[in-house]
Amino acid sequence: MATQGPLFVDPQVQRYESFVNDRLRKDLTDILDKRDKLYDRIAQLLQLRNQIEVMNTDKAGPELKTMMNVGSDFFIKARIPDTSKIIINVGADVFLEMPLDEAMSFTDRRVKRLEAQAEQFTEKAAEIRAHIKLVMQAIEDLMALGGSQGQRTQAAF
């Protein structure tokens, strides 16, 4: 007769599996989503930094002609009359006008701070992954322990 897996699943194994699926995996997904949002913000700041560098090194004069995205990849021609200052969102929808050098240092500081936060999220994600691995190993151990106890009981009869 073929040996089938146990029809009965240990309630402790079910609790561990539900903890992994309902709590740890959700926490891991949330942490990784937060980290990805930070990386998107860092990419925006680096793009801004590159634009500031172009404006700083451009010897064409104080005026800049460009194309502006007005949404859904529709562009219009734009002219910036004074490129000596730039307006930057400093957070909480507060905008400040800054000279280009100050804006460059502001973006550098902001990128460093956001990279540090992203690193913290990466460490937290690694910690959660380790917890998942630990709980999965405990589940395997419980199932192996349950299987060996079942074989002992069958051998006694």
Side-chain angles (χ1 to χ4, degrees), residues 123-146:
E123 290 171 3
K124 182 69 175 170
E127 187 177 304
I128 293 171
R129 282 188 186 109
H131 285 147
I132 289 172
K133 197 171 191 177
L134 182 69
V135 172
M136 295 304 288
Q137 183 63 44
I139 289 171
E140 287 178 20
D141 292 346
L142 281 173
M143 291 176 75
L145 182 63

Side-chain angles (χ1 to χ4, degrees), residues 87-105:
I87 298 174
I88 295 183
N89 182 355
V90 294
D93 287 334
V94 175
F95 293 84
L96 289 178
E97 184 177 10
M98 298 180 188
L100 295 179
D101 294 335
E102 186 178 336
M104 183 84 75
S105 66

Side-chain angles (χ1 to χ4, degrees), residues 8-149:
F8 170 73
V9 178
D10 187 1
Q12 192 171 12
V13 170
Q14 286 179 333
R15 282 196 309 265
Y16 282 143
E17 285 178 345
S18 101
F19 176 69
V20 167
N21 293 326
D22 297 340
R23 177 65 189 259
L24 292 178
R25 292 197 194 279
K26 182 184 177 303
D27 288 350
L28 180 61
T29 304
D30 291 345
I31 290 292
L32 293 176
D33 287 344
K34 288 178 183 178
R35 185 189 67 180
D36 290 344
K37 287 179 185 177
L38 281 178
Y39 282 142
D40 289 342
R41 183 66 183 136
I42 289 170
Q44 291 173 350
L45 287 169
L46 291 175
Q47 185 178 16
L48 174 64
R49 187 180 191 291
N50 289 337
Q51 283 299 114
I52 293 170
E53 285 177 355
V54 167
M55 291 170 61
N56 247 348
T57 60
D58 192 14
K59 304 294 185 217
E63 184 176 294
L64 178 68
K65 292 181 182 178
T66 187
M67 299 291 284
M68 183 176 160
N69 188 349
V70 292
S72 298
D73 287 334
F74 287 101
F75 292 85
I76 61 171
K77 290 181 180 179
R79 184 177 64 85
I80 303 170
D82 181 19
T83 59
S84 65
K85 293 184 180 181
I86 189 169
I87 298 174
I88 295 183
N89 182 355
V90 294
D93 287 334
V94 175
F95 293 84
L96 289 178
E97 184 177 10
M98 298 180 188
L100 295 179
D101 294 335
E102 186 178 336
M104 183 84 75
S105 66
F106 173 80
T107 56
D108 288 341
R109 287 191 311 268
R110 191 119 197 238
V111 165
K112 285 179 186 174
R113 192 184 74 217
L114 291 177
E115 285 174 342
Q117 288 177 346
E119 181 62 29
Q120 289 175 348
F121 283 136
T122 300
E123 290 171 3
K124 182 69 175 170
E127 187 177 304
I128 293 171
R129 282 188 186 109
H131 285 147
I132 289 172
K133 197 171 191 177
L134 182 69
V135 172
M136 295 304 288
Q137 183 63 44
I139 289 171
E140 287 178 20
D141 292 346
L142 281 173
M143 291 176 75
L145 182 63
S148 65
Q149 285 179 350

